[in-house]
Amino acid sequence: MAWPALIAFTIFGIVPLFGVVALSFTSWNGISEQISLTGLDSWKTVLSDPGLPHALWVTFLIMALSWLAQTPLSILIGVFIAAHKRYRALLAVLFFIPLLLSQAAIAITYKMLLDPNFGLGAGLGFEFLQQNWLGEENLALGVVVFVVSWQWIPFHSLIYQGGVRQIPASMYEAAEIDGAGRVRQFFSITLPQLKYTIITSSTLMVVGSLTFFDLIWVLTAGGPSDATRALAVDMYQTGFKAALMGPASAIAVILVLVGLGLALLLRRLGGRDATASQLEGA
Amino acid sequence: MTTVLDSRATGKVAGAPPARSKRPRILQYNFLGGLAGWLWLLVVIIPIYWIVITSFKLQNDYYDTSPLAPPANPTLENYRFVLENDFVRYFFNSVIVTVGSVVPAVVVSFMAAYAIVRGSATSRFLRSVNSVFLMGLAIPLQAVIIPVYLIIIKLQMYDTLGAIILPSIAFAIPLSVLVLSNFIRDVPKELFESMRMDGATEWGTLWRLALPLTRPALVTVTIYQGLQVWNGFLLPLILTQTPEQRTLPLALASFQGQYSVNIPAVLASVVLTTLPILTLYIIGRRQLLSGLTAGFGK
């Protein structure tokens, strides 16, 4: 009974995984019948191209900044909704809406909202909102981080809510008898008890951020001047726009290796379930 | 947002006097968390509110009035415009792709999960099948899209809806198997035993025992994968070419270029695109939320 699933996944999951490694040693324009073996050429091209360190840097920036933006807020909100049954139900419903929208729809919406002439800033007369958000390099990267957080903070808050609810109430009662205040309780009980939740949530954030493509592609297409050209965007542009499938495959292999490395690293830090990493990306 | 973070860093607001902590924990008011929660709710809601009201605005009103003001002359014109412009075709493409991949994916995953739970103790093969799926969770679609594209070309399926469906099925399998097998594992062994005593076949057990007991997990998995496929962008972008084969997310992106002057119409199509998945979510919300939080919470 396991066969149909195994066959389907092998053809489109396992075979391509080896295929992408094989293709990184070939030259192919994506259209012609001809795929020729070129040895290490693609790898030399990719590794000597200053575009790769740049794409890695952009990927790292988006990953680190969105982690920094999302984690403290998600924990804070998660702790809050865990304690309040009424808010919990209401917030869970409303918080979920961004997760239902496609990244393409979200990107389009923000493109319009942030338009310097007709967007929210211009319409409401907020001067600080009236910038050319997607036209300036630092701002565009910030917008990507913000939009990612907009979509995912609600999800991670819900994860933290689940984690908080599993902390035994007796720990807080004991702390109160010892005279520990709220802040002390938060840092001495809540945070340490959330260790595994933090690692699970961080794994999802970090590994998922490697695969941001739809959002960036529709929002900025990697621009302005490559400011948001993260690895997945770099791969798409190299392969499907510049018709260099060999180098694009090499970039894809790097993507896999970085993802694997990060997942293992986070697991080392004490996580148990690094396997759920795919969720956020696909 | 920054103010929330700042005050948290200084810890001024969070410190409630110990006297207050004597109250039961559940009644304590977590001021900072509350502030963050409600502020973030605003951050989440304002763009959504803006999408919805703008989709009912006349184009002139869009440029002339405050963006957050409700429509002065509410109109369905944008919806009519969108529905008359191929939206229906893209919609049905998306329906075909979503149903066509989620149903087979959930069925084969359920069978695999059942086989793995029932057979892993004795079968080395099934244990390795399980490891393959677990490993599969870590393979991002982006990383293997080039070979998938090559395979689709070789199968002569490029630019068909099938080109989107087949890989979508495959990539839905690992997580579905994981969730479903975790769930089936919780079914008490005695129930399986008694089914066997009654002379039921494995198929009979699967249909009459495992299926009904696994229903909540099946709903979770179906909604989650439905969401993934419905909102999928990369596969349609790479595996199809002609407008006839476009699915909604891709159509949205091209709408945006085509009707860039008609923002209310683009937003009407965003609303229409989201409605089916919102409906599905409302129907299965409880199960989806409990499935997700139980799966990731700890």
Side-chain angles (χ1 to χ4, degrees), chain B residues 99-122:
Chain B
V99 176
S101 52
V102 173
V103 172
V106 172
V107 171
V108 298
S109 302
F110 176 64
M111 282 160 53
Y114 179 84
I116 287 168
V117 171
R118 297 282 289 142
S120 276
T122 49

Side-chain angles (χ1 to χ4, degrees), chain A residues 187-226:
Chain A
F187 285 104
S188 309
I189 301 172
T190 313
L191 266 190
Q193 286 290 311
L194 284 177
K195 185 182 165 198
Y196 289 118
T197 316
I198 292 174
I199 289 166
T200 306
S201 154
S202 301
T203 308
L204 290 171
M205 282 183 198
V206 165
V207 183
S209 70
L210 284 181
T211 60
F212 289 149
F213 172 77
D214 318 7
L215 185 77
I216 300 180
W217 185 247
V218 181
L219 199 62
T220 64
S225 53
D226 290 350

Side-chain angles (χ1 to χ4, degrees), chain B residues 182-197:
Chain B
N182 279 344
F183 213 88
I184 300 174
R185 208 161 276 134
D186 290 342
V187 175
K189 284 206 168 48
E190 295 75 25
L191 289 178
F192 287 117
E193 299 297 320
S194 63
M195 283 290 278
R196 170 161 306 192
M197 300 280 230

Side-chain angles (χ1 to χ4, degrees), chain B residues 28-218:
Chain B
Q28 282 175 354
Y29 197 71
N30 174 354
F31 178 74
L32 203 53
L35 193 67
W38 291 110
L39 272 183
W40 195 257
L41 186 67
L42 274 184
V43 174
V44 165
I45 290 298
I46 287 175
I48 293 166
Y49 166 77
W50 178 79
I51 296 173
V52 175
I53 58 157
T54 309
S55 73
F56 292 108
K57 279 186 183 176
L58 293 169
Q59 226 184 318
N60 288 339
D61 288 352
Y62 172 74
Y63 291 107
D64 295 344
T65 56
S66 169
L68 295 182
N73 314 296
T75 175
L76 286 171
E77 185 57 25
N78 304 308
Y79 288 90
R80 194 184 61 83
F81 176 77
V82 169
L83 290 172
E84 281 173 1
N85 275 280
D86 285 342
F87 181 89
V88 177
R89 171 190 287 158
Y90 305 136
F91 181 88
F92 278 108
N93 282 348
S94 273
V95 170
I96 293 169
V97 166
T98 305
V99 176
S101 52
V102 173
V103 172
V106 172
V107 171
V108 298
S109 302
F110 176 64
M111 282 160 53
Y114 179 84
I116 287 168
V117 171
R118 297 282 289 142
S120 276
T122 49
S123 162
R124 182 189 289 254
F125 169 72
L126 284 170
R127 278 200 299 274
S128 12
V129 170
N130 195 29
S131 324
V132 168
F133 291 144
L134 283 178
M135 198 184 73
L137 286 168
I139 304 177
L141 182 58
Q142 281 83 350
V144 294
I145 192 69
I146 296 171
V148 166
Y149 168 72
L150 179 62
I151 292 170
I152 289 294
I153 290 178
K154 291 284 172 204
L155 291 173
Q156 303 200 322
M157 291 181 72
Y158 182 70
D159 202 25
T160 63
L161 292 181
I164 310 172
I165 291 176
L166 290 183
S168 299
I169 295 177
F171 276 87
I173 289 173
L175 186 78
S176 308
V177 171
L178 179 74
V179 173
L180 294 174
S181 60
N182 279 344
F183 213 88
I184 300 174
R185 208 161 276 134
D186 290 342
V187 175
K189 284 206 168 48
E190 295 75 25
L191 289 178
F192 287 117
E193 299 297 320
S194 63
M195 283 290 278
R196 170 161 306 192
M197 300 280 230
D198 292 344
T201 60
E202 284 293 330
W203 270 108
T205 317
L206 180 141
W207 279 108
R208 283 184 290 126
L209 178 69
L211 188 74
L213 288 174
T214 319
R215 231 186 67 188
L218 286 168

Side-chain angles (χ1 to χ4, degrees), chain A residues 16-52:
Chain A
L17 192 60
F18 291 101
V20 75
V21 178
L23 281 171
S24 72
F25 298 103
T26 65
S27 163
W28 179 41
N29 65 11
I31 299 160
S32 75
E33 284 289 307
Q34 200 191 346
I35 302 177
S36 42
L37 211 64
T38 50
L40 289 170
D41 282 4
S42 299
W43 283 95
K44 281 180 192 153
T45 310
V46 168
L47 294 175
S48 62
D49 180 0
L52 180 72

